[in-house]
Amino acid sequence: MIFNPEYEAMNEEVRRSLQFVRLKNLVEKLYADVPFYRKKMDELELKPRDIRSLGDISKLPFTIKDDLRETYPYGLLACPLAEIEEIHMSSGTTGVPVVDAYTRKDIEIWGESMARTLAGAGGTRNDTVQNCYGYGLFTGGIGVHYGAKTLGANIIPMSSGNTQRQLMVMQAFGSTILTCTPSYALFIAEEAAEAGIDLRKLPLNKGCFGAEPWSENMRREIEQRYGMNAYDIYGLTEIIGPGVAFECEAKDGLHINEDFFYPEIIDPLTGRTLPDGEKGELVFTTLTKEGTPLLRYRTRDITFLHRERCSCGRTTVRMNRLFGRTDDMLIIRGVNVFPNQIEQILIEIEGTDPHYLIIVTRGPTHLDEVELQVEVNQAFFSDETKNLEGLRTKIETVLKSKLMISVKVKLVEPKTIERSMGKSKRVLDMREI
Ligand code: DLL
């Protein structure tokens, strides 16, 4: 079901006009009310009247994470503090405090964006959402909460953790939609298996997972263990939280709520805008935000955009599942490696689970050394004829040939790598540079 066909299935020409009007209003407001943006535009000798078409957006300055640090906490506020109704914050992976301050209208738009997201997964007012994203400063819990309310669904505000209770609630209340990080979904599934609960027999039939990188293999595993459809959802605190983009039942890219969040892809090195289909850094301009609007915010997330017609009827642009981040790229002895490339390789090797930890150190010779801890799966582990040494060398050989780096693989028993109730940590970079 499309939650808001008027906007989600809008004629693309009409949508572009709407985006332009919204962009123009935003630029005028920022120039008038936010000294930070007025200064940036003055430096570029740019006035709001210079924005005459949507394409002129590329004349506008970027906003980067450091700008958020420098203006912390209220420097980017575009309205009186009295109009702010809620504040969220994320320390992010890089430790830069990221503040999102919402007016009442911002909260309404958040609810609408998340209602579209849940509806994208097939959710309706008849669903019961078991929401295990963390409640609090993190945007995941409360974002889903507002979305479920706007959709008219029943919401169980579990927050993350206390897995035994999650299982108890799931069974007792007949939850139909599960919302949490994909790694936590797998963790719950492991606990269920241990407790002898067959998740496939429960009413749960769809899940909205995001907030961290995951793969097609993790999707398959979640779908199979729960007997559900698993959908990828994307967002970030700076822009609104979850609700920026979501998969529909076609599972072919994430529809961006582009009447609210205008996306661009740029070359992270030159800042040049790239055409659809080309991979680069995702940039967003918040077209309707009142509290802390951002112009051309560089997300550091890497993806590409595509606009082919989607079978669901939505006409919004789609972004591919993320490839990684410009800042989680590891440089190992000069070779660029993304953690999810390692994950993709592990997926194809039978006997392993998608639970791994990459530990990078600098050895006595000052060269980078990588240890990859990989969990063998239960089936392989219980097999009496298992050949652990064979599996280990196989992983090392494939990694060497595909990524051109030497990795020391350490196989570990099932369930030894620390599980996370929120975002999981895949890399431990212990290099002191
Ligand atoms: O993680 C918002 C969110 C909550 C999204 C719940 C989805 C579900 P932050 O804590 O600010 O906000 O982290 C944002 O997380 O820039 C991405 O790098 C990463 N991320 C978010 N969703 C996905 C996803 C929330 N589906 C940062 N796949 C983003 C991969 C994701 N990475």
Side-chain angles (χ1 to χ4, degrees):
M1 186 200 73
I2 301 183
F3 179 73
N4 190 341
E6 186 186 345
Y7 286 92
E8 294 180 81
M10 197 173 222
N11 169 287
E12 282 132 300
E13 224 22 74
V14 179
R15 183 183 292 116
R16 269 193 290 277
S17 310
L18 176 73
Q19 288 171 320
F20 173 60
V21 172
R22 290 182 169 174
L23 176 68
K24 208 158 166 49
N25 289 340
L26 172 73
V27 173
E28 272 160 18
K29 190 176 160 54
L30 290 176
Y31 193 76
D33 298 341
V34 184
F36 168 85
Y37 278 117
R38 175 193 280 265
K39 184 162 169 273
K40 276 210 167 197
M41 284 176 62
D42 283 344
E43 278 164 12
L44 295 170
E45 293 179 13
L46 200 64
K47 292 275 181 281
R49 63 169 179 272
D50 297 327
I51 303 305
R52 290 189 209 99
S53 69
L54 205 47
D56 283 342
I57 194 168
S58 60
K59 295 182 181 163
L60 290 165
F62 289 117
T63 310
I64 58 169
K65 227 169 187 159
D66 277 348
D67 296 330
L68 305 184
R69 191 203 316 257
E70 282 156 24
T71 53
Y72 175 84
Y74 284 139
L76 290 177
L77 215 60
C79 68
L81 194 52
E83 281 175 35
I84 297 300
E85 294 202 342
E86 193 166 319
I87 289 179
H88 285 268
M89 200 171 106
S90 134
S91 57
T93 38
T94 45
V96 177
V98 168
V99 179
D100 195 351
Y102 306 70
T103 63
R104 177 160 305 176
K105 185 175 150 221
D106 292 335
I107 302 242
E108 273 166 26
I109 286 181
W110 200 10
E112 154 104 28
S113 310
M114 278 309 298
R116 292 182 188 181
T117 300
L118 294 167
T124 68
R125 63 182 298 276
N126 299 324
D127 277 295
T128 296
V129 182
Q130 180 158 344
N131 184 17
C132 334
Y133 285 112
Y135 279 66
L137 280 177
F138 176 53
T139 53
I142 290 179
V144 170
H145 193 96
Y146 287 146
K149 283 177 84 73
T150 306
L151 185 65
N154 175 14
I155 172 102
I156 314 182
M158 295 298 295
S159 202
S160 57
N162 202 337
T163 310
Q164 290 308 318
R165 194 171 56 182
Q166 302 280 5
L167 287 169
M168 189 264 285
V169 165
M170 214 173 263
Q171 296 173 92
F173 294 96
S175 318
T176 52
I177 302 185
L178 180 66
T179 53
C180 58
T181 56
S183 52
Y184 190 47
L186 282 178
F187 183 72
I188 297 176
E190 282 173 358
E191 296 273 300
E194 215 147 88
I197 301 167
D198 185 353
L199 294 171
R200 287 168 301 191
K201 297 218 171 93
L202 299 183
L204 261 186
N205 55 27
K206 38 202 174 284
C208 294
F209 306 110
E212 64 179 8
W214 58 311
S215 59
E216 280 306 317
N217 187 53
M218 280 175 82
R219 182 195 325 254
R220 270 195 300 277
E221 183 151 354
I222 293 172
E223 293 193 329
Q224 190 238 322
R225 286 189 175 213
Y226 284 85
M228 66 152 58
N229 273 301
Y231 299 94
D232 194 7
I233 69 171
Y234 168 82
L236 60 164
T237 315
E238 297 89 312
I239 301 304
I240 197 163
V244 175
F246 61 88
E247 275 185 331
C248 65
E249 283 160 88
K251 294 182 192 158
D252 181 21
L254 290 82
H255 289 274
I256 298 177
N257 282 316
E258 58 169 322
D259 45 330
F260 303 135
F261 318 111
Y262 184 81
E264 295 171 87
I265 297 288
I266 61 158
D267 176 332
L269 295 177
T270 63
R272 198 170 53 86
T273 312
L274 297 176
D276 289 346
E278 269 188 48
K279 207 153 111 182
E281 182 177 350
L282 183 60
V283 169
F284 280 109
T285 297
T286 60
L287 294 177
T288 48
K289 203 161 166 187
E290 296 182 331
T292 42
L294 296 179
L295 273 189
R296 307 191 79 204
Y297 181 70
R298 295 185 56 163
T299 64
R300 305 190 187 188
D301 290 324
I302 300 164
T303 184
F304 63 83
L305 300 178
H306 59 105
R307 294 175 204 269
E308 297 92 63
R309 282 250 167 271
C310 184
S311 55
C312 72
R314 289 175 185 82
T315 52
T316 39
V317 64
R318 278 170 286 164
M319 56 181 258
N320 194 71
R321 173 190 280 289
L322 292 191
F323 291 96
R325 287 176 58 81
T326 53
D327 55 6
D328 76 7
M329 184 179 76
L330 289 164
I331 305 182
I332 311 284
R333 299 193 185 189
V335 180
N336 297 349
V337 182
F338 286 100
N340 91 345
Q341 285 177 295
I342 296 188
E343 179 165 331
Q344 289 302 324
I345 289 171
L346 290 178
I347 288 164
E348 281 155 31
I349 298 177
E350 218 170 293
T352 63
D353 258 352
H355 298 295
Y356 61 94
L357 182 67
I358 304 162
I359 304 171
V360 192
T361 49
R362 194 147 279 183
T365 51
H366 300 286
L367 287 175
D368 299 331
E369 284 171 9
V370 186
E371 176 177 298
L372 176 68
Q373 298 190 352
V374 187
E375 268 184 29
V376 293
N377 63 28
Q378 197 62 52
F380 187 87
F381 191 68
S382 333
D383 180 355
E384 280 176 9
T385 62
K386 64 178 176 280
N387 178 357
L388 283 173
E389 190 48 29
L391 180 61
R392 201 180 61 76
T393 21
K394 181 166 171 197
I395 299 174
E396 286 182 353
T397 316
V398 180
L399 285 171
K400 174 95 198 161
S401 74
K402 293 209 172 156
L403 298 183
M404 331 277 219
I405 55 165
S406 297
V407 171
K408 212 169 110 230
V409 170
K410 185 172 164 200
L411 295 175
V412 296
E413 290 182 19
K415 298 191 80 171
T416 37
I417 290 177
E418 198 185 320
R419 301 296 195 260
S420 150
M421 312 277 178
K423 299 184 190 237
S424 51
K425 196 158 173 51
R426 306 283 195 203
V427 180
L428 202 59
D429 195 339
M430 307 208 293
R431 287 177 291 188
E432 278 172 26
I433 299 176

